[in-house]
Amino acid sequence: MSTMVYPREEKLEKLSQEEIISNTKLVIQGLEALKNEHNSILHSLLETIKCLKKDEEANLVHEKSNLLRKSVEMIELGLGEAQVMMALSNHLNAVESEKQKLRAQVRRLCQENQWLRDELANTQQKLQKSEQSVAQLEEEKKHLEFMNQLKKYDEDVSPTEEKDRETPKDSLDDLFPNDEEEHGQGMQHQHNSAAVAAAQQGGYEIPARLRTLHNLVIQYASQGRYEVAVPLCKQALEDLEKTSGHDHPDVATMLNILALVYRDQNKYKEAAHLLNDALAIREKTLGKDHPAVAATLNNLAVLYGKRGKYKEAEPLCKRALEIREKVLGKDHPDVAKQLNNLALLCQNQGKYEEVEYYYCRALEIYECRLGPDDANVAKTKNNLASCFLKQGKYKEAEILYKEILTRAHEKEFGSVDGKAT
C-alpha cells in the first residue's frame, strides 16, 4: 500500500501560495492513487467473500472490507478538501486579477483627473485673455466710432484720384537718412514716417473696407501705441484671409503695414517674413512688373539696409528701380526717390562712383520735373555733398553747399549781394 507524506505544520506556515497549490496537486495525485489501490483491494476482498464458505473467515474478510470502505471514504473526503483548496486558489487568482484591473482603472482616472485639471487651468487662462480682449475691443470700438467720421472724407475722394495718389509713392526717403537727418531726427518723426509709409503702400486703390482701419493704425502707430496697432492689423489679416483667401492684394497691403510697424519696433525678422510674403502675393496676383511690387521690394531693401545687410539690399533696390523706370518712365520723381535710396545703399558700401551717378540722375530728374526750388533738389544736393566730403572732395562739396544756401537765401530774402562773402 502507498504511503502519504504530509509536510509539517511549521513548514506550511512558510509556504507561498504557489508552493501550497503545487503541494495540493501532489496530494491530490497521491490520494487518487491510494483511492484506486484501495478500490482494487476492496474488489478483491469481495470476490474472496463469494468464494469462502466458513463463517469465521467470511466475517474476517467483511471486517477488512469495512475498514477499506472507511479508508476509501476518508480518501474521498481528503480529495474533496483538496479540490476545495484548488477552487479557492482559482477564486483568489480571479480576485487578484480584478484587483489589478481596478488599480489600472484608478491610475487612468487619476490621469484623466489631472488632464481635466490642466484643461480647466488652460480654459481659465483663455477666459482671462478673452476678458482682456473684450475690454480692449470696447476701447477700440470707441475709437472706431470716432474715426468713422473719416469715411465721409474717403467717400469724397474719387477712385481715380485715390489711385493716382497711392500709386507707388513710398515715403521711405528718410529711412536711409543723410548725416543731417541722422543727428536731428526725433522719435516722433520716426513714428510719423512709419505711419505715412504704411498709409501709402499698395500701388492700387485701397478698398473701402480697409480705409478706416488704415487710418486707425496710422493714428496708433504715430502715438507709438504698437500694443494696439499690431492686434488691429493681425485681426484684419485674419478676416481678409477668411473672406478673400491668403493670395489677395488686400492681404499683401495689410502685410506691408504690419511689417512697417514691426520694423519700427526693431522686430526685423518678423518684418522681413511679412514683406517676403507680401512680395510673393503681389507678384502672383498683380504681376512682377507692377508698381506695388516695386514698393514692396523697396521696403524690403530698406529693412535689410537698417540691419546693415547692404549687399542683400542692393539687388532688391535695383529691381525696384527697373520696375519704376519701366512703368513710370526714367524721368519720374518716384524713380528719383528710388535712385536716392540706391545711392545711400552704395554709399554704405563705399561705392562712391555709383553713388555720384545715382545722385546726379536723381538731381537731374527733380530739377527737370519739380523745379529748382523743390525741397527734394536741396536734399539730393546735400546728400551728394556729403558723399563728396567722405571722399575728401572738399571743393565739389563746397560748391553744392553754396548753391543750396544761395537758393534758400534767394527764396527767403531775395538776390544775394555780389560783394557778400
Side-chain angles (χ1 to χ4, degrees):
M1 183 179 292
S2 301
T3 58
M4 296 297 296
V5 179
Y6 295 95
R8 295 180 181 177
E9 292 183 0
E10 57 186 16
K11 290 185 177 180
L12 285 174
E13 294 178 356
K14 300 179 180 178
L15 293 176
S16 64
Q17 182 179 347
E18 290 78 7
E19 291 174 339
I20 292 173
I21 296 302
S22 177
N23 291 335
T24 303
K25 289 180 179 179
L26 291 175
V27 170
I28 289 173
Q29 292 176 0
L31 290 173
E32 288 288 349
L34 188 60
K35 177 183 176 182
N36 294 332
E37 186 177 350
H38 278 60
N39 286 329
S40 177
I41 294 171
L42 182 59
H43 180 71
S44 299
L45 288 174
L46 292 174
E47 291 295 330
T48 303
I49 291 173
K50 292 178 182 180
C51 297
L52 292 175
K53 295 180 180 180
K54 295 180 179 181
D55 294 337
E56 294 179 358
E57 293 179 354
N59 291 332
L60 181 62
V61 173
H62 275 294
E63 290 178 1
K64 290 182 178 181
S65 65
N66 290 331
L67 291 173
L68 284 172
R69 284 191 182 95
K70 291 181 180 179
S71 180
V72 169
E73 289 176 358
M74 295 299 292
I75 290 171
E76 289 178 349
L77 180 61
L79 284 171
E81 292 177 352
Q83 288 173 355
V84 169
M85 290 181 65
M86 294 297 296
L88 181 60
S89 174
N90 293 333
H91 176 70
L92 290 175
N93 289 334
V95 170
E96 183 65 25
S97 177
E98 190 67 22
K99 180 182 177 183
Q100 295 298 330
K101 289 181 181 178
L102 290 174
R103 285 181 177 176
Q105 289 180 358
V106 168
R107 286 195 297 269
R108 180 175 59 81
L109 290 173
C110 289
Q111 292 175 352
E112 290 180 356
N113 186 36
Q114 185 60 40
W115 178 78
L116 289 173
R117 288 178 181 273
D118 294 339
E119 284 294 313
L120 178 61
N122 292 333
T123 304
Q124 288 176 342
Q125 292 179 357
K126 290 179 181 179
L127 178 61
Q128 291 177 355
K129 291 181 180 179
S130 299
E131 290 175 349
Q132 293 175 357
S133 299
V134 168
Q136 182 177 351
L137 288 173
E138 288 293 334
E139 181 183 355
E140 292 171 3
K141 179 183 176 182
K142 295 178 182 178
H143 285 285
L144 284 171
E145 291 174 351
F146 171 75
M147 295 300 294
N148 196 34
Q149 299 174 359
L150 295 174
K151 285 186 178 180
K152 183 178 180 180
Y153 171 77
D154 290 332
E155 293 171 357
D156 293 337
V157 181
S158 66
T160 305
E161 292 173 348
E162 182 103 13
K163 187 171 182 179
D164 292 340
R165 184 186 64 181
E166 293 169 358
T167 300
K169 184 178 181 182
D170 305 318
S171 297
L172 300 174
D173 297 333
D174 52 346
L175 295 178
F176 283 118
N178 56 34
D179 292 343
E180 181 180 355
E181 289 173 333
E182 212 167 51
H183 292 90
Q185 192 175 22
M187 288 303 296
Q188 184 62 36
H189 177 69
Q190 291 177 1
H191 295 321
N192 290 336
S193 174
V196 176
Q200 294 175 339
Q201 292 307 304
Y204 61 97
E205 181 183 359
I206 296 177
R209 59 176 175 172
L210 293 181
R211 291 174 191 165
T212 303
L213 180 62
H214 271 236
N215 296 329
L216 192 58
V217 171
I218 292 169
Q219 180 187 8
Y220 285 129
S222 64
Q223 297 171 359
R225 297 183 63 187
Y226 302 114
E227 73 281 359
V228 180
V230 171
L232 280 177
C233 289
K234 287 184 176 180
Q235 185 62 49
L237 273 174
E238 184 179 347
D239 294 342
L240 286 171
E241 288 178 342
K242 286 181 180 178
T243 56
S244 304
H246 181 71
D247 295 332
H248 193 277
D250 294 352
V251 175
T253 299
M254 292 308 304
L255 287 170
N256 268 277
I257 296 172
L258 181 56
L260 293 175
V261 175
Y262 275 150
R263 186 200 62 205
D264 280 356
Q265 295 177 276
N266 297 325
K267 295 181 178 180
Y268 297 122
K269 185 177 181 180
E270 293 88 340
H273 175 74
L274 294 174
L275 287 174
N276 279 306
D277 195 9
L279 179 62
I281 295 172
R282 284 181 167 174
E283 286 181 336
K284 181 178 179 181
T285 57
L286 303 177
K288 293 188 176 182
D289 292 334
H290 195 276
V293 174
T296 309
L297 286 167
N298 187 60
N299 288 350
L300 196 55
V302 167
L303 182 66
Y304 285 146
K306 283 185 170 291
R307 299 177 65 184
K309 296 183 177 182
Y310 305 115
K311 291 183 179 180
E312 292 86 343
E314 184 178 351
L316 298 173
C317 203
K318 285 183 176 179
R319 186 184 165 198
L321 176 63
E322 291 174 359
I323 294 173
R324 285 177 167 166
E325 287 179 335
K326 181 178 180 180
V327 176
L328 304 174
K330 293 189 176 183
D331 60 345
H332 194 277
D334 287 343
V335 173
K337 291 183 179 181
Q338 197 68 56
L339 287 167
N340 265 293
N341 284 344
L342 185 54
L344 286 165
L345 278 174
C346 292
Q347 183 169 311
N348 281 284
Q349 299 177 72
K351 299 178 180 180
Y352 293 112
E353 291 184 2
E354 297 181 34
V355 174
E356 293 181 21
Y357 170 73
Y358 293 136
Y359 276 142
C360 288
R361 272 198 62 192
L363 184 59
E364 182 180 354
I365 293 171
Y366 281 138
E367 288 180 335
C368 179
R369 295 295 300 272
L370 304 179
D373 293 331
D374 187 77
N376 288 301
V377 173
K379 183 177 180 180
T380 306
K381 284 185 177 181
N382 184 70
N383 290 345
L384 182 56
S386 176
C387 175
F388 284 147
L389 286 177
K390 291 181 179 180
Q391 298 178 78
K393 297 181 179 180
Y394 302 114
K395 290 185 178 180
E396 292 85 344
E398 182 183 0
I399 293 172
L400 288 174
Y401 283 135
K402 283 184 176 180
E403 289 179 0
I404 296 170
L405 292 172
T406 301
R407 198 70 185 178
H409 189 280
E410 288 177 349
K411 285 175 62 178
E412 189 70 23
F413 305 107
S415 61
V416 180
D417 186 2
K419 294 182 180 180
T421 56

